[in-house]
Amino acid sequence: DAMVIQNPRYQVTQFGKPVTLSCSQTLNHNVMYWYQQKSSQAPKLLFHYYDKDFNNEADTPDNFQSRRPNTSFCFLDIRSPGLGDAAMYLCATSRLNRDRGNEQFFGPGTRLTVL
Amino acid sequence: AQTVTQSQPEMSVQEAETVTLSCTYDTSESNYYLFWYKQPPSRQMILVIRQEAYKQQNATENRFSVNFQKAAKSFSLKISDSQLGDTAMYFCAARNAGGTSYGKLTFGQGTILTVHP
């Protein structure tokens, strides 16, 4: 089945130790998104890629970076995680198609713990 | 800019009964899409139902239906014959139809729905 895959599902890192979260998709969607979701809150968009065009949200901290080496993969790099970065990180994809209302397909998320 | 507001942090319903989750939004766009997403505990977010603003007919998907009131900017979700598996956080979301938003969603704060046996 076509899907959005996130690895790992659970990640533990130490304060200040760089960490990378990965997302892959078999949907061949041209847009990929990274969200941060804290407990019982709405997902907060960090950035998104339209093909290789990177779009950063204005309030995304510089500590967060992203890479999209090809259509299928997208990475979230946290350069120096702080305790406040502990959260669920969601990857989503969509096909830029106005007729379909750009439904976003979400991965299962990676829960990041910072010790 | 869009805003989406869900005024009910938590709701509960008995199995087999009907429940309605509220959502209001604000946008300056003439064409846009509205969505309800469901996020079960420890599981991934999935789309429940989609409404296109230029369509007057309310969307329905099996037990799920919406009451879309464009003038009032209201978009409520009705769940009929509630099932235990409907227990989840529900997010209302909006997206502009055009421009360079690349499908960016604006989410509401979410409503935690608990279905009791």
Side-chain angles (χ1 to χ4, degrees), chain A residues 31 33 35 37 40-43 45 48 50 55 57 90 96 98-104 106-108, chain B residues 33 35 37 39 42-45 47 50 52 89 91 95 97-99 101-105 107-109 112:
Chain A
V31 190
Y33 310 81
Y35 291 89
Q37 186 180 26
S40 299
Q41 296 183 20
L45 183 65
H48 69 278
Y50 171 49
N55 298 271
E57 292 301 297
L90 302 176
L96 191 64
R98 297 180 184 191
D99 292 339
R100 287 190 54 80
N102 279 66
E103 173 187 350
Q104 290 192 17
F106 285 82
Chain B
Y33 295 90
F35 305 86
Y37 278 89
Q39 189 176 37
S42 302
R43 294 179 64 185
Q44 68 195 85
M45 193 163 335
L47 179 69
R50 174 198 300 113
E52 297 161 81
M89 174 84 97
F91 290 100
R95 183 191 82 78
S101 61
Y102 300 137
K104 286 172 57 176
L105 290 172
F107 285 95
Q109 304 93 320
I112 299 172

Side-chain angles (χ1 to χ4, degrees), chain B residues 7-51:
Chain B
S7 58
Q8 304 155 315
E10 296 186 38
M11 294 279 286
S12 63
V13 65
Q14 293 296 124
E15 198 174 6
E17 293 188 347
T18 295
V19 64
T20 299
L21 308 184
S22 301
C23 173
T24 58
Y25 63 92
D26 192 17
T27 181
S28 57
E29 299 292 323
S30 58
N31 196 15
Y32 49 90
Y33 295 90
L34 299 167
F35 305 86
W36 278 98
Y37 278 89
K38 169 186 177 182
Q39 189 176 37
S42 302
R43 294 179 64 185
Q44 68 195 85
M45 193 163 335
I46 57 173
L47 179 69
V48 174
I49 199 164
R50 174 198 300 113
Q51 175 77 42

Side-chain angles (χ1 to χ4, degrees), chain A residues 87-101:
Chain A
M88 177 75 84
Y89 289 87
L90 302 176
C91 174
T93 72
S94 70
R95 177 179 299 282
L96 191 64
N97 182 333
R98 297 180 184 191
D99 292 339
R100 287 190 54 80

Side-chain angles (χ1 to χ4, degrees), chain B residues 5 27 46 57 84 86 93 102 111 116:
Chain B
T5 303
T27 181
I46 57 173
Q57 186 174 5
L84 297 178
D86 295 334
Y102 300 137
T111 297
H116 297 286

Side-chain angles (χ1 to χ4, degrees), chain B residues 25 27 29-32 34 51-56 58 67-75:
Chain B
Y25 63 92
T27 181
E29 299 292 323
S30 58
N31 196 15
Y32 49 90
L34 299 167
Q51 175 77 42
E52 297 161 81
Y54 62 86
K55 289 188 175 179
Q56 293 186 347
N58 288 326
N67 183 6
F68 174 46
Q69 302 289 329
K70 191 171 184 179
K73 294 184 178 176
S74 169
F75 182 61

